[in-house]
Amino acid sequence: MIAILRKELVTYFSSLLAYVVITLFLGVSGFYFYSNLSFFLLSGGFDVARGLWQFQLHDMRQIMLTLLPLLTMRLFAEERRLGTLELLWTYPLRDVQIVLGKYLASLLVLLLMLAPTLLFPALLTQTHAPVAIGALLAGYLGLFLLGAAFLACGILISALTDSQVLAAAVTFSLLLLFWVMTWNEAAVGAPALSVLSKLSLFDRFYVFSRGGIDSRDVTFFVLFSAVFLAWTVLALGSRRWRGVK
Amino acid sequence: MIEVAHLTKEFGDFTAVRDVSFTIAPGECVGFLGPNGAGKTTTMRVIAGIFPPTSGTVRVGGHDVQREPNATRRLVGYFPENAPYYPEMSIEEYLAFVARAKRLPRAARRSEIERVIRATSLGEMRRRLVGKLSKGFRQRVGLAQALLGDPQVLILDEPTSGLDPEQVAEIRELVKSLRGQRTIIFSSHILSEVSQVAQRVVIINRGRVVAEDHPDGLARRIEGAVTVHLRAEAPESELRLLLSSVPGVHDLAVVDGRFRFHARDEAVLREVSRAVTARGFLLLELSRESLSLEEIFLRLVHVGDEPRQGAA
Ligand SMILES: Nc1ncnc2c1ncn2[C@@H]1O[C@H](COP(=O)(O)OP(=O)(O)O)[C@@H](O)[C@H]1O
Ligand SMILES: [Mg+2]
């Protein structure tokens, strides 16, 4: 597992993909931070210590939705296209270890992507008002769990195709679906909506963004990721049974 | 070391390998010969533990590949057809990854990597990205990867395919140098190559083992694999006498005003042309057509001397 993890990190950084994704994330979220901050300072009367972060976290969530599929698209699709997956299967590794190694690598990049954005609140504490640390950390936990779920979803899609582009596109569409599925309340009706909103990654994120941690939401995110990872292991296994082609 | 018993592999309703059995002793170097689509890769993949057989059993070092996959995988170094590679890793990074994936003890990794880099003469290229290497070098990286951890069994799937003749010779020498204590299976669709390297040849066609023999025996059995046409300015009877005196010339006949005969290999041609010119005859035409592998198989199956074990 460590072997796969390290290999994926090497590839992330030598293919520049990780740099590109991290830079884009920091750039765009910095821009949002700047405009959110301006908005809060200009309009006044808002709670900068808390309210600003709700805006900012929701913006970062949106950026993750677009960027994280790029982190997972390669993980299996490229091994399939290159034919290297076959070689992995000749080493004493179990499919679970292959999947987890890749997943952990993408989680590390996610951490590297999120960590520098803590600079924004640190700066703000220096120049303006102090930040509500507890609420902020809850928000970041939520953001990380949400990202982890996105990545688990992306890794499954990547295991189902030979094409990175297709993997990214399908992952993005699927995540978008998870986002918008609770929008059209009228169309789905109340009972269905209550089920859907329990499944919706984005509704689950809401409490975190307001500075709260609900253990049910944490469990949900962890389970969501676990299900997708297990599914990926099954997908690999069935591919192996059918032959490598 | 390797026992394959009644191995069958189906893909959907297509049977790629049908009831294949053979055993390979420790230290033996065996060639898999067969045309494209014969089932060589499929058989080797099952032995390497990439996918399970549909039926039958495969044992490596006494362990069942299906029941104890990690035990058998530790014994096997595998070179996959077409040597797939990670373009963005350097040779060193790649081999470091493989050493970990094969679970070599930490202390042994460094020296093992050095050893295989030396064995495959990749020293100067070690920091280059694999994607930037020529096909010949990538093929060597594939071999280096298989050699890591000094596995007792090496399974090499067409290690010389797609290379130019010089590179083919290099790889062939490399494989020859690996013979010894290791058990080696390597596949090819080129008869002469298999005969040069292997101590024993298993011939596969359409998913079945059609013959199993030592290279010499094989050569004897496919005697006449080359058909030769010859025209010379000489009295027919004298020429006939002359040609039939050259060793390796068989089935001499006159067809359309030309002599036609079968020869075992190209070396016979040289003898023939030397004999004809030495007698002062003018050689007008000397052309040959080799049997395709397919025809060789037909010969092995039908013309076959005594049918061998495992023959279909
Ligand atoms: N995963 C697969 N699904 C379907 N057919 C396959 C698969 N793998 C191989 N085959 C078929 O099995 C036959 C044997 O293939 P292979 O073992 O690769 O032959 P060889 O290596 O001797 O060229 C071929 O006809 C090939 O098309
Ligand atoms: Mg093949």
Side-chain angles (χ1 to χ4, degrees):
Chain A
M1 189 173 81
I2 303 293
I4 300 283
L5 168 70
R6 294 179 62 131
K7 180 202 104 176
E8 293 305 334
L9 287 178
V10 167
T11 317
Y12 268 137
F13 287 97
S14 63
S15 69
L16 306 184
L17 180 66
Y19 294 113
V20 170
V21 169
I22 292 177
T23 312
L24 273 175
F25 183 76
L26 294 182
V28 179
S29 58
F31 169 76
Y32 275 119
F33 178 68
Y34 176 74
S35 53
N36 285 337
L37 183 62
S38 316
F39 171 72
F40 267 74
L41 293 180
L42 286 179
S43 47
F46 285 108
D47 178 6
V48 177
R50 284 174 170 277
L52 176 60
W53 300 111
Q54 268 183 53
F55 272 64
Q56 181 63 20
L57 287 167
H58 279 121
D59 289 336
M60 295 211 290
R61 178 192 73 178
Q62 248 47 2
I63 312 170
M64 287 195 334
L65 173 72
T66 349
L67 288 181
L68 290 189
L70 300 180
L71 281 187
T72 47
M73 64 180 183
R74 218 203 63 247
L75 291 175
F76 280 107
E78 185 69 351
E79 301 249 16
R80 283 177 52 154
R81 190 182 66 81
L82 293 172
T84 44
L85 194 53
E86 169 187 8
L87 203 44
L88 290 188
W89 280 332
T90 68
Y91 304 143
L93 297 169
R94 282 185 291 141
D95 288 354
V96 187
Q97 295 171 313
I98 298 177
V99 172
L100 283 183
K102 285 173 180 280
Y103 183 59
L104 289 180
S106 68
L107 281 184
L108 272 178
V109 178
L110 173 64
L111 276 180
L112 284 179
M113 188 167 124
L114 289 179
T117 64
L118 285 167
L119 216 64
F120 303 150
L123 269 175
L124 197 67
T125 309
Q126 294 285 311
T127 57
H128 295 83
V131 172
I133 301 276
L136 186 71
L137 289 183
Y140 266 90
L141 174 68
L143 211 53
F144 177 72
L145 287 173
L146 186 69
F150 287 180
L151 293 174
C153 192
I155 217 169
L156 170 68
I157 306 299
S158 177
L160 300 177
T161 172
D162 291 354
S163 155
Q164 298 191 47
V165 177
L166 194 65
V170 172
T171 307
F172 177 73
S173 316
L174 197 65
L175 294 179
L176 209 57
L177 185 73
F178 272 113
W179 186 31
V180 301
M181 70 184 182
T182 54
W183 281 12
N184 198 344
E185 301 171 22
V188 288
L193 187 67
S194 72
V195 174
L196 281 184
S197 66
K198 283 208 168 57
L199 282 176
S200 168
L201 292 169
F202 294 84
D203 288 11
R204 293 276 181 176
F205 178 62
Y206 188 64
V207 178
F208 288 109
S209 72
R210 305 200 45 174
I213 298 180
D214 184 333
S215 63
R216 278 172 308 179
D217 291 339
V218 175
T219 316
F220 170 79
F221 277 118
V222 172
L223 271 182
F224 182 97
S225 302
V227 165
F228 274 86
L229 292 177
W231 197 344
T232 312
V233 175
L234 291 180
L236 275 193
S238 90
R239 179 177 176 70
R240 193 203 278 250
W241 273 88
R242 277 182 281 116
V244 183
K245 272 214 310 205
Chain B
M1 195 70 196
I2 299 174
E3 302 155 67
V4 175
H6 306 291
L7 167 66
T8 295
K9 181 69 190 180
E10 293 166 2
F11 298 111
D13 50 14
F14 176 77
T15 307
V17 174
R18 197 186 297 267
D19 194 27
V20 161
S21 302
F22 56 86
T23 59
I24 299 176
E28 210 179 358
C29 178
V30 171
F32 264 24
L33 182 66
N36 285 330
K40 305 181 294 294
T41 298
T42 303
T43 307
M44 292 170 121
R45 282 176 170 164
V46 173
I47 300 172
I50 293 172
F51 48 56
T54 306
S55 66
T57 55
V58 174
R59 297 169 76 79
V60 178
H63 303 283
D64 187 293
V65 288
Q66 217 175 338
R67 264 188 252 123
E68 300 167 83
N70 283 354
T72 59
R73 285 179 195 170
R74 275 169 210 263
L75 294 175
V76 175
Y78 183 71
F79 174 93
E81 195 169 17
N82 305 324
Y85 58 93
Y86 298 108
E88 284 122 0
M89 293 177 104
S90 73
I91 294 181
E92 272 185 339
E93 283 168 343
Y94 175 59
L95 293 177
F97 156 63
V98 176
R100 281 204 187 81
K102 288 191 172 185
R103 293 156 190 272
L104 302 192
R106 186 184 301 270
R109 278 184 218 149
R110 199 66 256 159
S111 58
E112 259 305 289
I113 292 172
E114 293 307 318
R115 186 185 68 82
V116 299
I117 283 181
R118 234 176 297 121
T120 51
S121 320
L122 283 171
E124 285 167 25
M125 303 285 170
R126 56 198 303 156
R127 294 209 169 73
R128 296 266 206 101
L129 296 186
V130 181
K132 299 253 156 73
L133 299 175
S134 69
K135 170 118 202 208
F137 277 110
R138 288 205 305 265
Q139 212 94 344
R140 287 200 227 166
V141 175
L143 281 174
Q145 161 284 131
L147 291 175
L148 262 183
D150 201 8
Q152 294 173 41
V153 177
L154 285 176
I155 299 182
L156 313 175
D157 196 359
E158 308 224 8
T160 60
S161 80
L163 298 179
D164 63 44
E166 202 177 320
Q167 294 169 326
V168 168
E170 274 172 26
I171 298 282
R172 196 189 299 138
E173 287 313 306
L174 187 57
V175 173
K176 275 189 189 171
S177 74
L178 296 171
R179 293 180 304 192
Q181 314 93 317
R182 291 188 199 83
T183 307
I184 301 178
I185 306 181
F186 83 97
S187 70
S188 171
H189 53 265
I190 302 163
L191 174 69
S192 62
E193 180 169 289
V194 177
S195 314
Q196 277 179 53
V197 180
Q199 300 158 340
R200 187 154 61 97
V201 183
V202 173
I203 298 183
I204 304 184
N205 196 26
R206 301 197 182 139
R208 293 173 187 277
V209 172
V210 286
E212 233 188 295
D213 209 336
H214 298 271
D216 290 344
L218 203 63
R220 231 175 293 121
R221 290 164 69 183
I222 56 170
E223 213 150 79
V226 186
T227 301
V228 184
H229 296 282
L230 179 142
R231 243 165 10 104
E233 247 178 31
E236 190 182 309
S237 54
E238 271 185 60
L239 195 53
R240 175 184 295 272
L241 214 63
L242 177 69
L243 288 177
S244 52
S245 70
V246 177
V249 171
H250 303 275
D251 311 328
L252 193 60
V254 179
V255 180
D256 298 336
R258 305 189 292 185
F259 277 95
R260 194 199 67 190
F261 56 85
H262 293 138
R264 183 175 57 238
D265 54 33
E266 261 101 278
V268 177
L269 264 74
R270 222 172 303 137
E271 292 304 315
V272 167
S273 99
R274 204 172 290 149
V276 171
T277 40
R279 276 286 287 275
F281 296 150
L282 183 60
L283 199 55
L284 296 175
E285 180 192 346
L286 183 62
S287 62
R288 86 192 146 81
E289 47 187 85
S290 292
L291 293 184
S292 67
L293 258 191
E294 198 74 20
E295 290 165 313
I296 291 176
F297 296 134
L298 287 178
R299 229 164 230 272
L300 284 168
V301 182
H302 298 303
V303 183
D305 334 332
E306 75 288 14
R308 308 277 300 202
Q309 83 196 85

